[in-house]
Amino acid sequence: MQFLKDLFRKKEEPEATIMIGGVGSFCWDEDSEYWLGKYNGSQISILYDGISQPKDRLGRYVAKALNTQGFIEAKIIDIKNLAKEQCPVEKHSEIDALEVKDIVFQGPDFILIQFFDSEDDEPFWFAEIHGNRIYVGCDT
């Protein structure tokens, strides 16, 4: 029943700027419909869920992930290792060269990371982190 209530509720106007404790400010981006910020040179996006600012649980997850030293970096290593396990050895140097383009916090325990190779303007690889599980895909 809650799903239907959420589906049909009136969307609130997103706040122009939100603060995530210990992380910093994120500005609303009308085009992407996400709040955007930076972390170690990578873009961070936070999902707009129809309310004026992210739910507390999502905000706490963003803060925990970004404030835990090495968390994102370790996940990126795990993602690349998993991609190498799933791909032929000819792709390994390409996987090693991938750079993070966007880290998208979709919900508590759900992060989407988009990777670009050195020549493309579109996401080339992506990974979904659901709690402790990682799923990797390639957009060819």
Side-chain angles (χ1 to χ4, degrees):
M1 200 66 172
Q2 184 62 39
F3 170 76
L4 291 175
K5 287 180 184 178
D6 288 343
L7 184 63
F8 293 109
R9 78 173 165 0
K10 183 179 178 188
K11 289 188 175 186
E12 298 175 7
E13 197 66 30
E15 294 287 330
T17 303
I18 59 170
M19 291 295 295
I20 301 291
V23 176
S25 64
F26 293 79
C27 297
W28 176 249
D29 180 69
E30 191 69 37
D31 293 334
S32 67
E33 294 191 352
Y34 284 90
W35 286 282
L36 305 179
K38 291 284 184 189
Y39 170 79
N40 284 351
S42 295
Q43 179 171 293
I44 302 294
S45 301
I46 301 175
L47 177 71
Y48 168 64
D49 194 19
I51 56 176
S52 63
Q53 54 187 332
K55 293 180 181 176
D56 288 341
R57 190 167 169 230
L58 177 56
R60 285 191 306 272
Y61 181 66
V62 172
K64 179 181 176 189
L66 297 181
N67 286 324
T68 300
Q69 185 163 356
F71 175 83
I72 295 294
E73 293 81 1
K75 291 297 182 186
I76 291 168
I77 291 169
D78 292 344
I79 289 164
K80 288 185 177 186
N81 288 337
L82 181 60
K84 287 180 193 177
E85 288 174 15
Q86 297 176 359
C87 294
V89 72
E90 299 83 33
K91 291 272 194 187
H92 290 194
S93 61
E94 177 183 320
I95 292 166
D96 285 333
L98 293 173
E99 297 178 15
V100 173
K101 177 62 177 177
D102 196 5
I103 301 169
V104 184
F105 287 87
Q106 300 278 11
D109 295 323
F110 179 16
I111 303 171
L112 170 69
I113 301 180
Q114 298 175 329
F115 296 87
F116 284 49
D117 70 10
S118 60
E119 299 175 15
D120 284 340
D121 293 330
E122 297 296 322
F124 188 70
W125 288 82
F126 58 90
E128 290 187 5
I129 302 169
H130 296 270
N132 292 323
R133 295 179 307 194
I134 297 174
Y135 302 94
V136 177
C138 180
D139 182 18
T140 57

